[in-house]
Amino acid sequence: MRYQHNTGRILNRTILAILVMAAGAACIIRPGICSQRSGSLDFDLPVPEESLQQAYLGVQGRDRFTLGQIAARVVIVEIFSMYCPICQREAADVNALFDRIRQDPQLSEQVKLLGIGAGNSAFEVSFFKKKYHIEFPLFADGDFQLHKQIGEVNTPHFFGLKKLENGDMELFFSRSGEIEDVETFLQTLLKESGVTLQP
Amino acid sequence: MKKNLWIVGLCVIGILAASAYAFGRSSAFGDKIFDFGHMKSLDSDTKLSEGDAAPDFDLPAISGNRVRLSEYRGNRHVMLTFIPAAWTPVCSDQWPGYHIARELFEDLDTVVIGISCDNLPSLHAWILEMGGVWFDVVSDFWPHGKVSDAYGVLRSDGMSERAVFIIDKTGIIRFIHLEDINARPDLGVLIQALEELTP
């Protein structure tokens, strides 16, 4: 009898452990079902072919680079798709964000912006870039490999990462949906970064 | 004990099924999208081949007009894009891409016709929600799926496959692309097929 009781307790704990592990696995695979998205932005990207974009990111002389290797204290990553009506509609706003940062002498060297086309082939990213006159670097993710790693966020989605003293990147901002107001978005992002930008 | 094991199994399967597949969907449709989850990739027997005459059709469009395929004969190439269902994840992030690529199709002397087994009111509401499209969207609702069946892309569940047929100015099918229903065809592949029609 006692043996059966202990067996039952062990079984219940095993059930609980399996459920917790399964829920954890589900959070990693599809964070949308959890309260906080928990993908990883620890990936590398091919260095852009255009020398201007290489210089913008500060990644000349490499084949691939990580977000931590970008010459900036804050990196903004937009997850977009050329098929996403919001991404199309707000392409001009994201361009305005890029221009706002580029034209500010305090921000231009310390905040960088790039986009990743979730499920978009190189052709589709190239078309989107040309269509909306986008000057910041865009990268194709045709097979959703990065999108899955990031946490399968909806588009558009914006991540903000800051470089720590030891060179590691820390995610401090993660939001799906439209920018709405460029200045408000930028100031919110800078405030949440906690980074004091050097003049 | 057996009962507990069944509960564990069902919970794990349920959680993993919920996390199994998430297309990179746009936020544009909010929570109005119905997700069937992962579906059987293909579920029909294609009756047509490249080189066959394209079956003619005369279907109602959401514009209020009727669209007859043979009207384009001798005049324009036609890209016929079948989608499985309105208000679903992948379909909702497919035609908006063709919408912004209008100049690519027009430069290649091509009209796009979107076709679905949904009824007209549903298609009308869905297209409005995505912000409209420049091309005709026609309903193959009644007799249900007759045109989809003629093209060999009617699935056993009453939806069509995610398929693209490119028909040249003589009414001959020059390109067939049957995509996994859970994925979206690369625009680059479709444009390349159209370019091959234009010497």
Side-chain angles (χ1 to χ4, degrees), chain B residues 24-109:
Chain B
R25 82 175 56 156
S26 132
S27 303
F29 296 85
D31 57 3
K32 299 187 181 92
I33 295 298
F34 182 87
D35 193 348
F36 285 104
H38 193 83
M39 300 175 73
K40 185 179 176 183
S41 302
L42 291 171
D43 183 33
S44 61
D45 294 319
T46 310
K47 299 168 182 173
L48 298 171
S49 305
E50 292 168 5
D52 289 346
D56 197 14
F57 59 79
D58 179 6
L59 289 173
I62 58 171
S63 62
N65 301 322
R66 295 192 71 86
V67 172
R68 181 186 287 274
L69 176 66
S70 54
E71 283 177 5
Y72 295 103
R73 199 165 294 168
N75 185 12
R76 309 283 290 276
H77 304 307
V78 175
M79 187 178 97
L80 192 55
T81 162
F82 288 88
I83 55 104
W87 304 105
T88 56
V90 185
C91 301
S92 299
D93 282 346
Q94 182 175 347
W95 288 351
Y98 305 159
H99 178 63
I100 63 165
R102 180 175 188 168
E103 61 267 32
L104 296 184
F105 294 108
E106 291 189 341
D107 286 351
L108 293 165
D109 216 10

Coordinates of all heavy atoms in Angstrom, one line a residue, chain B residues 24-109:
Chain B
G24 N 5.3 33.1 -40.6 CA 5.7 34.5 -40.3 C 4.6 35.5 -40.6 O 4.7 36.2 -41.6
R25 N 3.6 35.5 -39.9 CA 2.4 36.3 -40.3 C 2.5 37.8 -39.9 O 3.1 38.1 -39.0 CB 1.1 35.7 -39.7 CG 0.8 36.0 -38.3 CD -0.5 35.5 -37.9 NE -0.6 34.0 -38.0 CZ -1.4 33.3 -37.2 NH1 -2.2 33.9 -36.3 NH2 -1.4 32.0 -37.4
S26 N 1.8 38.5 -40.7 CA 1.8 40.0 -40.5 C 0.7 40.3 -39.4 O -0.2 39.5 -39.2 CB 1.4 40.7 -41.8 OG 0.4 41.6 -41.6
S27 N 1.0 41.4 -38.7 CA 0.0 41.8 -37.7 C -1.2 42.5 -38.3 O -2.1 42.9 -37.6 CB 0.7 42.8 -36.8 OG 1.9 42.3 -36.2
A28 N -1.2 42.7 -39.6 CA -2.2 43.5 -40.3 C -3.6 43.1 -40.0 O -4.5 43.9 -40.0 CB -1.9 43.5 -41.8
F29 N -3.8 41.8 -39.9 CA -5.2 41.3 -39.7 C -5.6 41.0 -38.3 O -6.7 40.5 -38.0 CB -5.4 40.0 -40.5 CG -5.2 40.2 -42.0 CD1 -3.9 40.1 -42.6 CD2 -6.3 40.4 -42.8 CE1 -3.8 40.3 -43.9 CE2 -6.1 40.6 -44.2 CZ -4.9 40.5 -44.8
G30 N -4.7 41.4 -37.3 CA -5.0 41.3 -35.9 C -5.4 39.9 -35.6 O -4.7 38.9 -36.0
D31 N -6.5 39.7 -34.8 CA -6.9 38.4 -34.4 C -8.0 37.8 -35.3 O -8.7 36.9 -34.9 CB -7.3 38.4 -32.9 CG -8.4 39.4 -32.7 OD1 -8.9 40.0 -33.7 OD2 -8.9 39.5 -31.5
K32 N -8.1 38.4 -36.5 CA -9.2 37.9 -37.4 C -8.8 36.7 -38.2 O -9.6 36.2 -39.0 CB -9.6 39.1 -38.4 CG -10.1 40.3 -37.7 CD -10.6 41.3 -38.7 CE -11.0 42.6 -38.1 NZ -10.0 43.6 -38.0
I33 N -7.6 36.3 -38.1 CA -7.1 35.2 -38.9 C -7.5 33.8 -38.3 O -7.3 33.6 -37.1 CB -5.6 35.2 -39.1 CG1 -5.2 36.5 -39.9 CG2 -5.0 34.0 -39.7 CD1 -5.7 36.5 -41.3
F34 N -8.0 32.9 -39.1 CA -8.3 31.6 -38.6 C -7.1 30.6 -39.1 O -6.8 30.6 -40.3 CB -9.6 31.0 -39.2 CG -10.0 29.7 -38.7 CD1 -10.7 29.5 -37.6 CD2 -9.6 28.5 -39.4 CE1 -11.0 28.3 -37.1 CE2 -9.9 27.3 -38.9 CZ -10.6 27.1 -37.8
D35 N -6.5 30.0 -38.1 CA -5.4 29.1 -38.4 C -5.8 27.6 -38.3 O -6.1 27.1 -37.3 CB -4.3 29.4 -37.4 CG -2.9 28.9 -37.8 OD1 -2.9 28.0 -38.8 OD2 -1.9 29.2 -37.3
F36 N -5.7 27.0 -39.5 CA -6.0 25.5 -39.5 C -4.8 24.7 -38.9 O -5.0 23.5 -38.7 CB -6.1 25.0 -41.0 CG -7.5 25.4 -41.6 CD1 -7.5 26.5 -42.5 CD2 -8.6 24.8 -41.3 CE1 -8.7 26.8 -43.2 CE2 -9.8 25.1 -41.9 CZ -9.9 26.2 -42.8
G37 N -3.7 25.4 -38.7 CA -2.5 24.6 -38.3 C -1.9 24.0 -39.5 O -2.2 24.4 -40.7
H38 N -1.0 23.1 -39.3 CA -0.3 22.5 -40.4 C -1.2 21.5 -41.2 O -1.9 20.7 -40.6 CB 1.0 21.7 -39.9 CG 1.9 21.3 -41.0 ND1 2.9 22.2 -41.5 CD2 2.0 20.2 -41.7 CE1 3.5 21.6 -42.4 NE2 3.1 20.4 -42.6
M39 N -1.2 21.7 -42.5 CA -2.1 20.9 -43.3 C -1.3 20.0 -44.3 O -0.2 20.2 -44.5 CB -3.0 21.8 -44.2 CG -3.9 22.7 -43.3 SD -4.8 23.9 -44.3 CE -6.1 22.8 -45.0
K40 N -2.0 19.0 -44.8 CA -1.4 18.1 -45.8 C -0.9 19.0 -46.9 O -1.7 19.8 -47.5 CB -2.5 17.1 -46.3 CG -1.9 16.0 -47.2 CD -3.1 15.1 -47.6 CE -2.6 14.1 -48.6 NZ -3.7 13.2 -49.0
S41 N 0.3 18.8 -47.3 CA 1.0 19.7 -48.3 C 0.2 19.8 -49.6 O -0.1 20.9 -50.0 CB 2.4 19.2 -48.6 OG 3.1 19.2 -47.4
L42 N -0.1 18.7 -50.2 CA -0.9 18.7 -51.4 C -2.0 17.6 -51.3 O -1.8 16.6 -50.7 CB 0.0 18.3 -52.6 CG 1.1 19.4 -53.0 CD1 2.0 18.8 -54.1 CD2 0.4 20.6 -53.6
D43 N -3.1 17.9 -51.9 CA -4.3 17.0 -51.7 C -5.1 16.9 -52.9 O -6.3 17.1 -52.9 CB -5.1 17.4 -50.5 CG -6.2 16.5 -50.1 OD1 -6.1 15.3 -50.4 OD2 -7.3 17.0 -49.7
S44 N -4.5 16.8 -54.1 CA -5.3 16.8 -55.3 C -4.4 16.1 -56.4 O -3.2 16.0 -56.2 CB -5.7 18.2 -55.8 OG -4.5 19.0 -56.0
D45 N -5.1 15.8 -57.5 CA -4.4 15.2 -58.6 C -4.4 16.2 -59.8 O -5.5 16.4 -60.4 CB -5.0 13.9 -59.0 CG -4.9 12.8 -58.0 OD1 -3.8 12.7 -57.4 OD2 -5.8 12.1 -57.7
T46 N -3.3 16.8 -60.0 CA -3.2 17.8 -61.1 C -3.5 17.1 -62.4 O -2.8 16.2 -62.8 CB -1.9 18.5 -61.1 OG1 -1.6 18.9 -59.8 CG2 -1.9 19.7 -62.0
K47 N -4.5 17.7 -63.2 CA -4.9 17.1 -64.4 C -4.1 17.7 -65.6 O -4.2 17.2 -66.7 CB -6.4 17.2 -64.6 CG -7.2 16.6 -63.5 CD -8.7 17.0 -63.6 CE -9.5 16.4 -62.5 NZ -10.8 17.0 -62.4
L48 N -3.6 18.9 -65.4 CA -3.0 19.6 -66.5 C -1.5 19.6 -66.4 O -0.9 19.5 -65.4 CB -3.5 21.1 -66.4 CG -5.0 21.2 -66.5 CD1 -5.5 22.7 -66.2 CD2 -5.5 20.8 -67.9
S49 N -0.9 19.8 -67.6 CA 0.5 19.9 -67.7 C 0.9 21.2 -68.5 O 0.0 21.7 -69.2 CB 1.1 18.7 -68.5 OG 0.7 17.5 -67.9
E50 N 2.1 21.6 -68.4 CA 2.6 22.7 -69.2 C 2.5 22.3 -70.7 O 2.8 21.2 -71.1 CB 4.0 23.0 -68.8 CG 4.1 23.6 -67.4 CD 5.5 23.7 -66.8 OE1 6.5 23.4 -67.6 OE2 5.6 24.1 -65.7
G51 N 2.0 23.2 -71.5 CA 1.7 22.9 -72.9 C 0.3 22.6 -73.2 O -0.2 22.6 -74.4
D52 N -0.5 22.3 -72.2 CA -2.0 22.1 -72.4 C -2.7 23.5 -72.5 O -2.2 24.5 -72.1 CB -2.6 21.4 -71.1 CG -2.2 20.0 -71.0 OD1 -1.6 19.4 -72.0 OD2 -2.4 19.4 -69.9
A53 N -3.9 23.4 -73.2 CA -4.7 24.6 -73.3 C -5.3 24.8 -71.9 O -5.8 23.9 -71.2 CB -5.8 24.4 -74.3
A54 N -5.3 26.1 -71.5 CA -5.9 26.4 -70.2 C -7.4 26.4 -70.3 O -8.0 27.0 -71.1 CB -5.4 27.9 -69.8
P55 N -8.1 25.7 -69.3 CA -9.5 25.7 -69.3 C -10.1 27.1 -69.2 O -9.6 27.8 -68.3 CB -9.9 24.8 -68.1 CG -8.6 23.9 -67.9 CD -7.5 24.8 -68.3
D56 N -11.0 27.4 -70.0 CA -11.6 28.8 -69.9 C -12.6 28.8 -68.7 O -13.0 27.7 -68.2 CB -12.4 29.1 -71.2 CG -12.7 30.6 -71.3 OD1 -12.0 31.4 -70.5 OD2 -13.5 31.0 -72.1
F57 N -12.8 30.0 -68.2 CA -13.8 30.1 -67.1 C -14.4 31.5 -67.2 O -13.9 32.4 -67.8 CB -13.1 29.9 -65.7 CG -12.0 30.8 -65.4 CD1 -12.2 32.1 -65.0 CD2 -10.7 30.3 -65.5 CE1 -11.1 33.0 -64.7 CE2 -9.6 31.2 -65.2 CZ -9.8 32.5 -64.8
D58 N -15.5 31.7 -66.5 CA -16.2 32.9 -66.5 C -16.8 33.0 -65.0 O -17.8 32.4 -64.7 CB -17.4 32.9 -67.5 CG -18.2 34.2 -67.5 OD1 -17.8 35.2 -66.8 OD2 -19.2 34.3 -68.2
L59 N -16.1 33.8 -64.2 CA -16.4 33.8 -62.8 C -16.7 35.2 -62.3 O -16.2 36.2 -62.8 CB -15.2 33.2 -62.0 CG -15.0 31.7 -62.1 CD1 -13.7 31.4 -61.4 CD2 -16.2 30.9 -61.5
P60 N -17.5 35.3 -61.2 CA -17.8 36.7 -60.7 C -16.6 37.2 -59.9 O -15.9 36.4 -59.2 CB -19.0 36.4 -59.8 CG -18.9 35.0 -59.4 CD -18.2 34.3 -60.5
A61 N -16.3 38.5 -60.0 CA -15.2 39.1 -59.3 C -15.8 40.0 -58.2 O -16.9 40.5 -58.3 CB -14.4 39.9 -60.3
I62 N -14.9 40.3 -57.2 CA -15.4 41.2 -56.1 C -15.7 42.6 -56.6 O -16.3 43.4 -55.9 CB -14.4 41.2 -54.9 CG1 -13.0 41.7 -55.4 CG2 -14.3 39.8 -54.3 CD1 -12.1 41.9 -54.2
S63 N -15.2 43.0 -57.8 CA -15.5 44.3 -58.4 C -16.9 44.4 -58.8 O -17.4 45.5 -59.0 CB -14.6 44.5 -59.6 OG -14.9 43.5 -60.6
G64 N -17.6 43.3 -58.9 CA -19.0 43.3 -59.4 C -19.1 42.8 -60.8 O -20.1 42.6 -61.3
N65 N -17.9 42.8 -61.5 CA -17.9 42.3 -62.9 C -17.7 40.8 -63.0 O -17.5 40.2 -61.9 CB -16.7 43.0 -63.6 CG -16.9 44.5 -63.6 OD1 -18.0 45.0 -63.7 ND2 -15.8 45.2 -63.5
R66 N -17.7 40.3 -64.2 CA -17.3 38.9 -64.4 C -16.0 38.9 -65.1 O -15.7 39.8 -65.9 CB -18.4 38.1 -65.2 CG -19.7 38.0 -64.4 CD -20.7 37.1 -65.1 NE -20.3 35.7 -64.9 CZ -20.6 34.9 -63.9 NH1 -21.3 35.4 -62.9 NH2 -20.2 33.6 -63.9
V67 N -15.2 37.9 -64.9 CA -13.9 37.8 -65.5 C -13.9 36.5 -66.3 O -14.1 35.4 -65.8 CB -12.8 37.7 -64.4 CG1 -11.4 37.4 -65.1 CG2 -12.7 39.1 -63.7
R68 N -13.6 36.6 -67.6 CA -13.5 35.5 -68.5 C -12.1 35.4 -69.0 O -11.5 36.3 -69.5 CB -14.4 35.6 -69.7 CG -14.4 34.5 -70.7 CD -15.2 34.8 -71.9 NE -16.6 34.8 -71.7 CZ -17.4 33.7 -71.7 NH1 -16.9 32.5 -72.0 NH2 -18.7 33.8 -71.5
L69 N -11.4 34.2 -68.7 CA -10.0 34.0 -69.0 C -9.8 34.3 -70.5 O -8.8 35.0 -70.9 CB -9.6 32.6 -68.7 CG -8.2 32.2 -69.0 CD1 -7.2 33.0 -68.2 CD2 -7.9 30.7 -68.8
S70 N -10.7 33.8 -71.4 CA -10.4 33.9 -72.8 C -10.4 35.3 -73.4 O -9.9 35.6 -74.5 CB -11.4 33.0 -73.6 OG -12.7 33.4 -73.2
E71 N -10.9 36.3 -72.5 CA -10.8 37.7 -73.0 C -9.4 38.2 -73.1 O -9.1 39.2 -73.8 CB -11.6 38.5 -72.0 CG -13.1 38.4 -72.1 CD -13.8 39.3 -71.0 OE1 -13.2 40.0 -70.3 OE2 -15.1 39.2 -71.0
Y72 N -8.5 37.5 -72.5 CA -7.1 38.0 -72.5 C -6.3 37.3 -73.6 O -5.1 37.6 -73.9 CB -6.4 37.7 -71.2 CG -7.0 38.5 -70.0 CD1 -7.9 37.9 -69.1 CD2 -6.7 39.9 -69.9 CE1 -8.4 38.7 -68.1 CE2 -7.3 40.6 -68.9 CZ -8.2 40.0 -68.0 OH -8.7 40.8 -67.0
R73 N -6.9 36.4 -74.3 CA -6.2 35.6 -75.4 C -5.8 36.6 -76.5 O -6.6 37.4 -76.9 CB -7.1 34.5 -75.9 CG -6.3 33.4 -76.6 CD -7.2 32.2 -76.8 NE -7.5 31.6 -75.6 CZ -8.4 30.6 -75.4 NH1 -9.1 30.2 -76.5 NH2 -8.6 30.0 -74.2
G74 N -4.6 36.5 -76.9 CA -4.1 37.3 -78.0 C -3.7 38.7 -77.5 O -3.3 39.6 -78.3
N75 N -3.8 38.9 -76.2 CA -3.7 40.3 -75.6 C -2.7 40.4 -74.5 O -1.7 41.1 -74.6 CB -5.1 40.6 -75.1 CG -5.2 42.0 -74.6 OD1 -4.3 42.8 -74.8 ND2 -6.3 42.4 -73.9
R76 N -2.8 39.6 -73.5 CA -1.9 39.6 -72.3 C -1.7 38.2 -71.8 O -2.5 37.3 -72.0 CB -2.6 40.4 -71.1 CG -3.1 41.7 -71.5 CD -2.0 42.8 -71.6 NE -1.4 43.1 -70.3 CZ -1.9 44.0 -69.5 NH1 -3.0 44.6 -69.8 NH2 -1.3 44.3 -68.3
H77 N -0.5 38.0 -71.2 CA -0.3 36.8 -70.4 C -1.1 36.9 -69.1 O -1.5 38.0 -68.7 CB 1.2 36.6 -70.0 CG 2.2 36.7 -71.1 ND1 2.1 35.9 -72.3 CD2 3.3 37.5 -71.3 CE1 3.1 36.2 -73.1 NE2 3.8 37.1 -72.6
V78 N -1.4 35.7 -68.6 CA -2.2 35.7 -67.3 C -1.5 34.9 -66.3 O -1.0 33.7 -66.6 CB -3.6 35.1 -67.6 CG1 -4.4 34.9 -66.3 CG2 -4.4 35.9 -68.6
M79 N -1.4 35.4 -65.1 CA -0.9 34.6 -64.0 C -2.1 34.4 -63.1 O -2.7 35.3 -62.5 CB 0.2 35.4 -63.1 CG 0.7 34.4 -62.1 SD 2.1 35.2 -61.1 CE 1.2 35.7 -59.7
L80 N -2.5 33.1 -63.1 CA -3.7 32.7 -62.3 C -3.2 32.2 -60.9 O -2.5 31.2 -60.9 CB -4.4 31.6 -63.1 CG -5.8 31.2 -62.6 CD1 -6.8 32.3 -62.6 CD2 -6.3 30.1 -63.6
T81 N -3.6 32.9 -59.9 CA -3.1 32.5 -58.5 C -4.2 31.9 -57.7 O -5.1 32.7 -57.3 CB -2.3 33.6 -57.9 OG1 -2.2 33.4 -56.4 CG2 -3.0 35.0 -58.1
F82 N -4.2 30.6 -57.4 CA -5.2 30.0 -56.6 C -4.7 30.1 -55.1 O -3.6 29.8 -54.8 CB -5.4 28.5 -56.9 CG -6.0 28.2 -58.2 CD1 -5.3 28.1 -59.4 CD2 -7.4 27.9 -58.3 CE1 -5.9 27.8 -60.6 CE2 -8.0 27.6 -59.5 CZ -7.3 27.6 -60.6
I83 N -5.6 30.5 -54.2 CA -5.3 30.4 -52.8 C -6.3 29.6 -52.1 O -7.5 29.5 -52.5 CB -5.1 31.8 -52.2 CG1 -6.4 32.7 -52.4 CG2 -3.9 32.6 -52.7 CD1 -7.3 32.8 -51.2
P84 N -5.9 28.9 -51.0 CA -6.9 28.0 -50.4 C -8.1 28.6 -49.7 O -9.2 28.2 -49.9 CB -6.0 27.2 -49.4 CG -4.6 27.4 -49.9 CD -4.6 28.7 -50.6
A85 N -7.8 29.7 -48.9 CA -8.9 30.3 -48.2 C -8.6 31.7 -47.7 O -7.5 31.9 -47.2 CB -9.3 29.4 -47.0
A86 N -9.6 32.5 -47.8 CA -9.5 33.9 -47.2 C -9.4 33.7 -45.7 O -9.7 32.7 -45.1 CB -10.7 34.7 -47.5
W87 N -8.8 34.8 -45.0 CA -8.7 34.9 -43.6 C -7.9 33.8 -43.0 O -8.1 33.4 -41.8 CB -10.1 34.9 -42.9 CG -11.0 35.9 -43.5 CD1 -12.1 35.7 -44.3 CD2 -11.0 37.3 -43.2 NE1 -12.7 37.0 -44.6 CE2 -12.0 37.9 -43.9 CE3 -10.1 38.1 -42.4 CZ2 -12.3 39.3 -43.8 CZ3 -10.4 39.5 -42.3 CH2 -11.4 40.1 -43.0
T88 N -6.9 33.3 -43.7 CA -6.0 32.3 -43.2 C -4.6 32.8 -43.3 O -4.3 33.8 -44.1 CB -6.1 30.9 -43.9 OG1 -5.9 31.1 -45.3 CG2 -7.5 30.3 -43.7
P89 N -3.6 32.3 -42.5 CA -2.3 33.0 -42.3 C -1.5 33.2 -43.6 O -1.2 34.3 -43.9 CB -1.6 32.1 -41.4 CG -2.6 31.3 -40.7 CD -3.7 31.1 -41.6
V90 N -1.3 32.1 -44.3 CA -0.4 32.2 -45.5 C -1.0 33.0 -46.6 O -0.4 33.9 -47.2 CB 0.1 30.8 -46.0 CG1 1.1 31.0 -47.1 CG2 0.7 30.0 -44.8
C91 N -2.3 32.7 -46.9 CA -3.0 33.4 -47.9 C -3.1 34.9 -47.7 O -2.9 35.7 -48.6 CB -4.5 32.9 -48.0 SG -4.5 31.1 -48.3
S92 N -3.2 35.3 -46.4 CA -3.3 36.7 -46.1 C -2.0 37.4 -46.3 O -2.0 38.7 -46.4 CB -3.8 36.9 -44.7 OG -5.1 36.3 -44.5
D93 N -0.9 36.7 -46.4 CA 0.4 37.3 -46.6 C 0.9 36.8 -48.0 O 2.1 36.6 -48.1 CB 1.4 36.9 -45.5 CG 1.2 37.7 -44.3 OD1 0.5 38.7 -44.3 OD2 1.7 37.3 -43.2
Q94 N 0.1 36.7 -49.0 CA 0.5 36.3 -50.3 C 0.1 37.4 -51.3 O 1.0 38.1 -51.9 CB -0.1 35.0 -50.8 CG 0.5 34.5 -52.1 CD 0.0 33.1 -52.5 OE1 -0.5 32.4 -51.7 NE2 0.2 32.8 -53.8
W95 N -1.1 37.7 -51.5 CA -1.6 38.6 -52.5 C -1.1 40.1 -52.2 O -0.9 40.8 -53.2 CB -3.1 38.6 -52.7 CG -3.5 37.3 -53.4 CD1 -2.7 36.4 -54.1 CD2 -4.9 36.9 -53.6 NE1 -3.5 35.4 -54.6 CE2 -4.8 35.7 -54.4 CE3 -6.1 37.4 -53.2 CZ2 -6.0 35.0 -54.7 CZ3 -7.3 36.7 -53.6 CH2 -7.2 35.5 -54.3
P96 N -1.0 40.5 -50.9 CA -0.4 41.8 -50.7 C 1.0 42.0 -51.4 O 1.3 43.1 -51.8 CB -0.3 41.9 -49.2 CG -1.4 41.0 -48.7 CD -1.4 39.9 -49.7
G97 N 1.7 40.9 -51.5 CA 3.0 41.0 -52.2 C 2.9 41.3 -53.7 O 3.6 42.1 -54.3
Y98 N 1.9 40.6 -54.3 CA 1.6 40.8 -55.7 C 1.0 42.2 -55.9 O 1.2 42.8 -57.0 CB 0.6 39.7 -56.3 CG 1.1 38.3 -56.0 CD1 0.1 37.3 -56.1 CD2 2.4 38.0 -55.8 CE1 0.5 35.9 -55.8 CE2 2.8 36.7 -55.5 CZ 1.8 35.7 -55.6 OH 2.2 34.4 -55.3
H99 N 0.4 42.7 -54.9 CA -0.2 44.0 -55.0 C 0.9 45.1 -55.2 O 0.8 46.0 -56.1 CB -1.0 44.3 -53.8 CG -1.6 45.7 -53.8 ND1 -2.5 46.1 -54.7 CD2 -1.4 46.8 -52.9 CE1 -2.9 47.4 -54.4 NE2 -2.2 47.8 -53.4
I100 N 1.9 45.0 -54.4 CA 3.0 46.0 -54.5 C 3.9 45.8 -55.7 O 4.7 46.6 -56.1 CB 3.8 46.2 -53.2 CG1 4.6 44.9 -52.9 CG2 3.0 46.6 -52.1 CD1 5.7 45.1 -51.9
A101 N 3.8 44.6 -56.3 CA 4.7 44.2 -57.5 C 4.0 44.5 -58.8 O 4.4 43.9 -59.8 CB 5.1 42.8 -57.3
R102 N 3.0 45.3 -58.8 CA 2.2 45.6 -60.0 C 3.1 45.9 -61.2 O 2.9 45.3 -62.3 CB 1.2 46.7 -59.8 CG 0.4 47.1 -61.0 CD -0.6 48.1 -60.6 NE -1.6 48.3 -61.7 CZ -2.7 49.0 -61.6 NH1 -3.0 49.6 -60.5 NH2 -3.5 49.2 -62.7
E103 N 4.1 46.7 -61.0 CA 4.9 47.1 -62.1 C 5.7 46.0 -62.7 O 6.0 45.9 -63.9 CB 5.9 48.3 -61.7 CG 6.9 48.0 -60.6 CD 6.3 48.3 -59.2 OE1 5.1 48.3 -59.0 OE2 7.1 48.7 -58.4
L104 N 6.1 45.0 -61.9 CA 6.8 43.8 -62.4 C 5.9 43.1 -63.4 O 6.4 42.6 -64.4 CB 7.2 42.9 -61.2 CG 8.2 43.5 -60.2 CD1 8.6 42.4 -59.2 CD2 9.5 44.0 -60.9
F105 N 4.7 42.9 -63.0 CA 3.7 42.1 -63.9 C 3.4 42.9 -65.1 O 3.4 42.4 -66.2 CB 2.5 41.8 -63.1 CG 2.7 40.8 -62.0 CD1 2.6 41.2 -60.6 CD2 3.0 39.5 -62.2 CE1 2.9 40.4 -59.6 CE2 3.2 38.6 -61.2 CZ 3.2 39.0 -59.9
E106 N 3.2 44.2 -64.9 CA 2.8 45.0 -66.1 C 3.9 45.1 -67.1 O 3.7 45.1 -68.3 CB 2.3 46.4 -65.6 CG 0.9 46.3 -64.9 CD 0.3 47.6 -64.6 OE1 1.0 48.6 -64.6 OE2 -0.9 47.6 -64.4
D107 N 5.2 45.2 -66.6 CA 6.3 45.3 -67.5 C 6.5 44.0 -68.3 O 7.1 44.0 -69.4 CB 7.6 45.5 -66.7 CG 7.7 46.9 -66.2 OD1 6.9 47.8 -66.6 OD2 8.6 47.2 -65.3
L108 N 5.9 42.9 -67.8 CA 6.0 41.7 -68.5 C 4.6 41.3 -69.2 O 4.4 40.2 -69.5 CB 6.3 40.5 -67.5 CG 7.8 40.7 -66.9 CD1 8.0 39.8 -65.7 CD2 8.8 40.3 -68.0
D109 N 3.8 42.4 -69.4 CA 2.6 42.3 -70.2 C 1.7 41.2 -69.6 O 1.1 40.4 -70.3 CB 2.9 41.9 -71.6 CG 2.0 42.6 -72.6 OD1 1.2 43.5 -72.2 OD2 2.0 42.3 -73.8

